[in-house]
Amino acid sequence: MALRKAARPRSASGKLETFPRGSILNELRESMAETEASFRRARTSLGGPRLQAASPVSLRNFSEEAREESSWLPEWLVKELLKGQQRSHSIGLLENILERESFRHHIDSAKSLRKGKIEQQVTLEQLQKLNTAFQELEKNGCKSLDMEKFKQVVKNCMAPHRTSDEQIEKLFMKIDCAATGRIQWDEFCTYMQLEYAEQDVSSARLKELTFSLPAVIVERSPGEPVLRICSLFDNTLVMIQEDGVISFWSPQLKLKRSKMVFEKPVNKKSKWATDSTVMTHYNKLILGTGDREIQLYEMSNFEPYCQISGLEAIPLKLDYCCTDPDECMILYGDDQGCVNILLLSSVGELLRTWKKLPKAENLPSVSIENAVLSPNVTYIRWKVHGDWVTQLHYYDSIKAVISTSNHEPTALVIGCTVGATNVEQQMKKIKDRGKDSKARKGQVIPRIPPKRAEGDQTVFQVYKGVKTFAFCKKNNLIVTGGMDRIIRMWNPYMSGRPTGMLRSHTAPVCYLSIAAEDAKIFSISTDNTIKIWDTVDQTCLFTACSKTSGIKGELTACHYIPGIRSLCVAADTLALLHLRLRPPPEPHLIVSHKEPVLCCKYNKEFRHVVSCSEGSVVKVWDFETGKHLFEFSAAHGGAAITCLTFDVSGRRLITGGRDGCLKIWNYNNGHCLNTLKREDKCAEVCDCTYVEVNRSRTLQTTFITFRNLSPIGMMTYYDGEIIVWNMISGHIYRKLHTSFPTHCAGIEAVDTSITQLVFLRTRAVKFESAAASLISNGPQGSVNFWSPFSGIPLTASFIPSRVKSHISSIAVTADDSFIYAADDDGYVYVYSIKDYALQDPEREPPKYVNHWRAHVNIVVSVEVVDEEKVLLSSSIDCTVRLWSLGGEYIGTFGQAEPWEIFTPASWKHPRVPYEILMNPQSMPIHPMLEGESPVLQPINTEPSNVTLENSLSKHEMSFNPKLPQVTIPDLDIKEEINQRSYAQALGKRLKQEHYKKINRPLASGGQSTYHLINSCEVVIAPPICKKPDLSVLGTDYFYEESLGEE
């Protein structure tokens, strides 16, 4: 067998052999081809006719199905399949049949991992068939369909696609959220439309990217406008103004240095700059002037280096590129629509030669005609546009120059630098040069610049021309913007029509940039409106107007800094907009929500888990696999969702929030069916439940909290008091008061609020019974058992938490045999209460069963799912987790690897969540810390005489009388603990706010000064000084001096 070739031989003399094993999936696929031959069953010892073996991977029965599934099977499922394959196949027919059924179960489990909603598989053609079927039934008098007719219609319209009855039934229940038993075509369309609309919103929410507003504004010195902003490798910004002022700025917009490089002439007009760029490899700054010059300056001190004068036209746009070691390219576009290229070789030597030339206006100057005479200079000038060049850039990745202008026929041109590759044109140029006998040595600058050949350039025609553009090689994308206020997306190799058009700006677009790492486009218009676009969906993700960003005045220059993910804008002031980035996920850290989870509940009708967060986000999870199915945000606006419940049918979700509202949802598509709110008050809703009174469905709620006991009673509680109400008459039946534990005596500030009530339903039906039927949490981590209908209401009280932490959530099993209590430290404690508090008051705690740590912070809810024998827990540490009733870790909702709830091999057990493993509080409690002796007793206990003598003899010379020992008595420690008891009295809301402040992410404006401080370990010198060894000197001065004194 292919899968057993690496096994050890069975003979006694067999040797351990190893073979190179490839992918398990590949071997599984290879084994499929050999199944018929290798899994034939031999005749058993009992005799009988030869039978065809039903192997667990029989090709005849499962080959097509297994080949389809094996390409995506998770690791745990592959292991389960291999376990079945590696068993002996000649034991008997019964085992082979059982293994066959086991494989069928695993295939079904695999399908459950990837099964999707049936509404997501409906095509437009099938939707039209469904519409026709509904119309035909309506003509026959059937205006609505029940579940059986709906099944028949869906199966007929979606053939030949396979749809199970279970999927269709769930779709019917999602549409029929009111549980009327019938649906209409309008209800079907409404559900589908809301389903896809919420999916679009969720997709946009995942891609959202915004700037932190308002922008960081810095005033600049009055002067001419900024022409261009460049960034260096260390994110230092270089800004050039029109009057020749060059300034260096830090990434935080702090001025480092600046200088005016143009000298003010006495009787001449002052020069003005047109554009600039940086020669990063040679530490030079290139500046174009209105006097048809290109000047070079040292970047270290802004001193003039040299200049090229006498250009054919004014250089309006400059660019630089290093092509090879000691070779570079300087490009500029002029006011005549020409693209000029200077190819320089031996750049270092060439620049030093130019620096030695005679000076003109305090700059070593060389004319363009003399510069091209050098063999290290090649000058190329192309006539490209019919108007001046608005932007120009050379991209080494495509070996081409992209230039733009406002001339519509030549709005954007992608062209080569050197020239035509046509052999005939090259030969013609050589013949023309040979005929010109008077041609001097070197290059000749043509008076009329030539045009590129058609094969050497690609021309894009754009209405009203192009003012700005951006190119991304990674996404193979060019975006253009101009006077028509439309951003066009182009494929560089298809100039016929744009691939997309982004319309939203109300003014001409003056700047564009593409963030390749985020697949986003940044655009700015002349009215200072900033937008962020998604390149995939071609949608606008963010818009900031001038009033919102704080940018005022005429915009003159922009630059996106990839290193710090910020956009620098120059107008009347300098503005810096930082991208509001999501904090990077910590390694090995899995979260279910971005914000703290405040409530969570299991829906047995759809087998879903619904969780709500402080950010007003509702998420729906698949209980069987842990996959994220659906979510909708802003359920209560910006208010947190504090509680949730389901109606009797399980089809409607009811949520309560801090805005004082109750909302009823069809949570499968995020449709709000109704909103309930009191007119006079807007207090926080802490808890809610759904009950039926007199056959009328009623939503009972309170702004404190409550639980329903039975059709005749309801309880509310606040500030340590539990009130029993008669639900029919509305009168108070009884009040229960919480007593303080004995260890709370002497502590002034104690949290007496009760946040959890759980009824033991098997006991609650007996109203006159003395058995405890109500469980509540209490102060200082206590759990109280109550008998509301007996003479002694408080029958038992104990503290489950070993660290006496507040109990934040309680759950019991369906038969009331076990209680699961979770505390503020994230621990879950399990106790057996089957025979506890049945008659007389109990003084001892119930039988301890187990405990484990489920979260690293307050557990807001635990729920026992008795059908599957699992425990659902959620916490403000942003996680929702699933556990077995014995504490085995199944997984966290939102993890990348799905689980199969019926297959323990897919669970995370025996692993535990990473943050729990690394948390110091997860360490086992030492017996010394659990004892009654004071903490400092082991430290202050006097040692024995022998130990004391050995200690003195060993450290006799190291004793320092100037450092007395400090002993803190136990009474002082106790008094200090009592003074700090306010920390124990924090409620859940206050503790959550404290948790938010501790885990608040860093500001997006960069690291603060504190985070830039480097810490170093300080070596502490020992207080014991050794006596110097003076034997090398031949004498001991201290010994001789002591003899002299005697």
Side-chain angles (χ1 to χ4, degrees), residues 1002-1003 1005-1013:
L1002 297 176
Q1007 292 181 331
S1008 63
T1009 305
Y1010 171 77
H1011 293 94
L1012 297 176
I1013 297 177

Side-chain angles (χ1 to χ4, degrees), residues 390-529:
T390 56
Q391 190 175 345
L392 169 142
H393 195 78
Y394 175 79
Y395 295 94
D396 194 50
S397 58
I398 58 175
K399 305 295 182 182
V401 183
I402 302 180
S403 57
T404 60
S405 73
N406 291 323
H407 186 233
E408 291 186 16
T410 57
L412 185 141
V413 178
I414 305 176
C416 62
T417 56
V418 176
T421 56
N422 193 324
V423 178
E424 295 181 358
Q425 293 184 5
Q426 294 287 355
M427 294 299 296
K428 183 179 179 180
K429 290 182 179 179
I430 295 174
K431 291 179 180 180
D432 293 340
R433 289 182 181 178
K435 293 179 181 180
D436 189 4
S437 59
K438 297 183 179 180
R440 56 180 177 175
K441 297 181 180 180
Q443 245 185 306
V444 178
I445 301 177
R447 295 181 179 179
I448 301 176
K451 295 183 179 180
R452 291 193 186 104
E454 292 184 0
D456 290 341
Q457 66 179 14
T458 304
V459 181
F460 296 77
Q461 299 182 10
V462 182
Y463 176 67
K464 291 189 177 181
V466 174
K467 190 176 181 64
T468 180
F469 78 93
F471 170 73
C472 179
K473 176 62 177 177
K474 180 180 179 181
N475 299 322
N476 201 29
L477 175 67
I478 296 178
V479 291
T480 61
M483 298 298 295
D484 63 347
R485 302 165 296 180
I486 299 176
I487 300 174
R488 292 174 173 84
M489 305 171 64
W490 305 83
N491 186 318
Y493 306 102
M494 299 181 64
S495 60
R497 57 186 303 177
T499 58
M501 302 178 72
L502 310 178
R503 306 171 187 266
S504 182
H505 279 287
T506 58
V509 180
C510 59
Y511 177 78
L512 288 170
S513 180
I514 301 176
E517 64 277 6
D518 298 320
K520 301 294 185 295
I521 300 173
F522 305 104
S523 64
I524 304 179
S525 57
T526 55
D527 59 353
N528 297 342
T529 299

Side-chain angles (χ1 to χ4, degrees), residues 235-461:
N235 297 325
T236 299
L237 300 178
V238 184
M239 300 185 188
I240 295 89
Q241 297 180 201
E242 191 175 297
D243 55 0
V245 176
I246 303 175
S247 56
F248 277 35
W249 298 77
S250 69
Q252 292 77 29
L253 284 188
K254 293 183 179 179
L255 181 62
K256 292 184 175 181
R257 50 196 171 96
S258 64
K259 183 181 179 180
M260 168 75 75
V261 296
F262 293 160
E263 294 183 356
K264 294 184 179 180
V266 180
N267 298 324
K268 295 182 180 180
K269 293 182 179 180
S270 59
K271 288 188 178 182
W272 48 276
T274 57
D275 197 15
S276 67
T277 187
V278 179
M279 296 181 69
T280 54
H281 299 81
Y282 301 97
N283 199 31
K284 300 291 188 296
L285 180 69
I286 307 176
L287 200 65
T289 69
D291 294 343
R292 297 187 300 171
E293 298 169 342
I294 295 178
Q295 298 182 350
L296 277 68
Y297 293 86
E298 288 281 0
M299 291 187 59
S300 57
N301 52 13
F302 298 145
E303 292 296 325
Y305 195 84
C306 64
Q307 71 174 2
I308 303 174
S309 60
L311 303 179
E312 296 292 329
I314 299 175
L316 298 179
K317 298 295 176 181
L318 292 173
D319 193 28
Y320 162 84
C321 180
C322 183
T323 54
D324 282 314
D326 210 18
E327 292 185 5
C328 71
M329 185 185 303
I330 298 177
L331 308 94
Y332 64 92
D334 55 33
D335 58 343
Q336 297 179 4
C338 296
V339 174
N340 302 265
I341 305 167
L342 284 170
L343 302 175
L344 309 180
S345 60
S346 302
V347 181
E349 180 182 354
L350 181 65
L351 294 181
R352 288 190 293 270
T353 302
W354 287 351
K355 189 178 181 181
K356 297 176 183 178
L357 295 175
K359 294 184 178 181
E361 298 181 357
N362 199 26
L363 265 174
S365 180
V366 57
S367 64
I368 186 66
E369 295 180 354
N370 293 330
V372 298
L373 296 177
S374 172
N376 297 326
V377 178
T378 303
Y379 177 64
I380 304 169
R381 189 164 188 249
W382 300 110
K383 178 63 177 178
V384 179
H385 303 281
D387 200 350
W388 65 58
V389 178
T390 56
Q391 190 175 345
L392 169 142
H393 195 78
Y394 175 79
Y395 295 94
D396 194 50
S397 58
I398 58 175
K399 305 295 182 182
V401 183
I402 302 180
S403 57
T404 60
S405 73
N406 291 323
H407 186 233
E408 291 186 16
T410 57
L412 185 141
V413 178
I414 305 176
C416 62
T417 56
V418 176
T421 56
N422 193 324
V423 178
E424 295 181 358
Q425 293 184 5
Q426 294 287 355
M427 294 299 296
K428 183 179 179 180
K429 290 182 179 179
I430 295 174
K431 291 179 180 180
D432 293 340
R433 289 182 181 178
K435 293 179 181 180
D436 189 4
S437 59
K438 297 183 179 180
R440 56 180 177 175
K441 297 181 180 180
Q443 245 185 306
V444 178
I445 301 177
R447 295 181 179 179
I448 301 176
K451 295 183 179 180
R452 291 193 186 104
E454 292 184 0
D456 290 341
Q457 66 179 14
T458 304
V459 181
F460 296 77
Q461 299 182 10

Side-chain angles (χ1 to χ4, degrees), residues 212 216 251-252 564 566 576-580 1002-1008:
S212 298
V216 179
Q252 292 77 29
I564 60 175
S566 301
L576 193 65
L577 295 104
H578 296 279
L579 279 178
R580 187 175 296 169
L1002 297 176
S1004 58
Q1007 292 181 331
S1008 63

